[in-house]
Amino acid sequence: SRPDSRKWWQLLLPVVVLLSAFGVDFFWQTDYEKIDLLIKASKEAVIAGDIEQIEAIISPNYCDSFHDSRAQLLSFCSRILSEPLAEKIKELYSKTEILESRADTELEVVVHLRQGSVYAMAGKIVSVKLKLYFSKTADKKWLIESSEVLTVNKQLWGWKKR
């Protein structure tokens, strides 16, 4: 067809396609994005000392090599976070692998401890490498199902060593 015979709606077609692409990307989150947001929420919860926010992202079936249950982990978090612990948590490295309804992330962070914190007596900065294990719920929500501390300040570590 000739350029002078185009309809007005034909000019809108590229705009509609472009807006649709951005809309789908904005409203549709991949599993990787959901897990990244979950990790970000967990870091924010630790900084805020918000046990309820931590509880919301932990699976009811949680278990690790030191905590036999979600309740034990939350009790541990309550003790550790009873006073402000961290000012900032900076992510250095993250690698996530997803297989159907399970995922794991190896994560290395630098925790900037709060001035005056009992934990800051040994130094203001702590490097922590950990592995987080996730499970996907029936409503497509990811929750932390287990975790293991791998290193602290580049030294091998484990829950049992505390």
Side-chain angles (χ1 to χ4, degrees), residues 1-11:
S1 86
R2 296 187 341 236
D4 58 341
S5 68
R6 286 190 183 158
K7 306 290 184 218
W8 66 270
W9 59 267
Q10 290 174 320
L11 298 173

Side-chain angles (χ1 to χ4, degrees), residues 13 20 28-29 31 56-57 66 95 101 112 128 135 143 146-147:
L13 192 58
S20 297
W28 183 287
Q29 290 179 326
D31 286 332
I57 60 178
F66 188 76
K95 181 182 177 190
S101 63
H112 297 261
V128 180
S135 60
L143 296 174
S146 186
S147 64

